[in-house]
Amino acid sequence: MVLSIKTRRDAVGLATGELLIDGVWRPAADGRTWTHQHPATGEQVGDFAMATDADVDAAVRAARRAFDEGPWPRSRAKQRITVLRRTADLIRSHTDELRTLQALDNGVPLTFGDEYAMSIECVADVFDHHAGWVDKLGGETLPGYQGGDHLVMTLREPVGVVAAVVPWNGPLLLAAQKVAPALAAGCTVVLKPSEFATFAALRLVRLLEEAGLPAGVLNVVTGPGNTAGEALITHPLIDKITFTGSRAIGKRVLAAASEGMKRVSLELGGKSPSIVFPDAEVYAAATLTMGTVTLGLSGQACVAHSRALVHRDVYDEFLAIAQGMTTLVTYGDPFDPEVTAAPLINERQLDRVLGYIERGQAEGARLVCGGGRPNGELAAGNFVDPVVFADVSNDATIAQEEIFGPVLAVVPFTDEDEAIRLANATSYGLAATVYTADVKRAIRMARAVRAGTVGINGYQLEPHVAFGGFGQSGLGREGGRSSIEAYTELKTVLIPTGDEMM
């Protein structure tokens, strides 16, 4: 394996990442930086500023001034639409650069970067979609209920200053899903990318500047979550927090928001089931399910279908196909067209996944394949061979907790009622896919399974539909009308139209 991390880094002219505060790019107040190491090689990719509490305070205050005094919240619809659409166009014209930066950030292979949900085209579509909402942010007019002549109307106004905290697994798409609707609604934003995927997000912000976004409307603070992130979510001048990440950090965000009654949107992952009935196309069900936990991000995705509920009549067939899928997984240089899967993001996550594999065996699950570490020239990377566990109890740890790695837990079931019970027997509720040829059963299952999105014989992400989950998968939705509503407040206005006072 000939790795090209340094070559690609040099090709995009990667410089030390800086903070963006009130339209000025600058280093951290104390000059400290964080060095990002590539998860496939351990090689140093680059440095970026570690924001201090003072830096975060300056960024929030800049966003506050831009909201209270600046033109963006009061701008004409045409101005916001123009900026967002120019951003989409610039994203498309910088596709190769952004794909390269994303691969340098988190190691996602370029082969997966062409898949729509992780593609640069999808990122651009998010901005285009939300640009289309700007001139549709209307309210209602209602008749008066009590005596007297008066008009009742509602208005949608931007919620205020938004803290947007983005994870490392989809640094461009997830930043877009937060920043685009917030800007469309007229909010100002302080963005904090993950310390494990910063450079692609910084380039996206520069494209927004190039598109004409006024200074102070979007500010960026970089650094670890326990310092820069904590200072941001606890800042008293923040009106709303939008966060995608782990359930544990989500609970911390919710606690911090409660102090100031901040509005909150949380997407906290899942333990999403694929539910496979005996009349399904088992090959498609097994390959699509196993693909979500092995190819691309190697299961490091909130919608990875890491729990397969499979009818006993097709159980062995499913297992054989899922095991065969592991032969399609190739690790290495993310810029190599032969590489199909990413490393785990860091050593801590590698140790965590290996711990789950050990626990699965200790709790009685049958290890069908995988679980080892590649050696040779891959030994320096955070790689683990894809795992299939069979005969898993639905209450086992590996069937209940989000592993965020290439590990599939396969649970047998006997009938539809049991499938529903098993699917819903989890604290999560983000996504699910039902595989069946029976349309009536598909509709029954879609209604019965408690998940934010249910796919039938396949699953995909769309920029124009609501995305989010039930239970501890989070609060609120991103995408479509619900996304815009999440960044606005609804105001009621009462207007007398007659001589009498109301």
Side-chain angles (χ1 to χ4, degrees), residues 277-299:
F277 287 93
D279 62 345
E281 293 186 13
V282 180
Y283 181 83
T287 55
L288 291 171
T289 300
M290 195 62 184
T292 70
V293 296
T294 57
L295 301 178
L297 282 165
S298 295

Side-chain angles (χ1 to χ4, degrees), residues 17 34-37 46-50 101-102 104-106 164-172 174-175 178 190-202 220-229 232 242-246 249 300 345-346 348 404:
W34 171 288
T35 300
H36 176 53
Q37 294 181 314
D47 300 326
F48 54 85
M50 290 179 63
L101 289 169
Q102 184 168 251
L104 288 171
D105 274 336
N106 63 12
V165 183
V166 178
W168 50 263
N169 57 341
L172 290 169
L174 296 176
K178 298 179 187 308
V190 181
L191 172 67
K192 198 210 84 70
S194 169
E195 62 269 33
F196 300 108
T198 293
F199 295 109
L202 292 180
V220 184
V221 293
T222 55
N226 61 356
T227 54
L232 181 58
T242 174
F243 169 81
T244 298
S246 72
I249 303 301
Q300 298 171 110
I345 191 62
N346 52 40
R348 183 181 65 185
F404 237 54

Side-chain angles (χ1 to χ4, degrees), residues 99-124:
R99 288 170 73 234
T100 297
L101 289 169
Q102 184 168 251
L104 288 171
D105 274 336
N106 63 12
V108 62
L110 295 193
T111 53
F112 191 62
D114 290 331
E115 295 294 325
Y116 181 72
M118 284 298 294
S119 71
I120 305 307
E121 181 66 24
C122 184
V123 177

Side-chain angles (χ1 to χ4, degrees), residues 307 309 394 416-426:
R307 188 168 54 114
L309 311 179
N394 196 61
E416 187 174 315
D417 288 341
E418 185 182 16
I420 294 169
R421 179 179 61 79
L422 293 173
N424 292 336
T426 172

Side-chain angles (χ1 to χ4, degrees), residues 174-245:
L174 296 176
Q177 286 181 326
K178 298 179 187 308
V179 171
L183 295 180
C187 298
T188 59
V189 182
V190 181
L191 172 67
K192 198 210 84 70
S194 169
E195 62 269 33
F196 300 108
T198 293
F199 295 109
L202 292 180
R203 187 68 182 104
L204 176 63
V205 172
R206 287 189 180 272
L207 294 180
L208 276 154
E209 285 188 303
E210 187 177 338
L213 192 68
V217 174
L218 177 59
N219 305 270
V220 184
V221 293
T222 55
N226 61 356
T227 54
E230 179 70 12
L232 181 58
I233 66 173
T234 56
H235 199 288
L237 297 182
I238 292 292
D239 297 301
K240 176 181 173 67
I241 305 171
T242 174
F243 169 81
T244 298

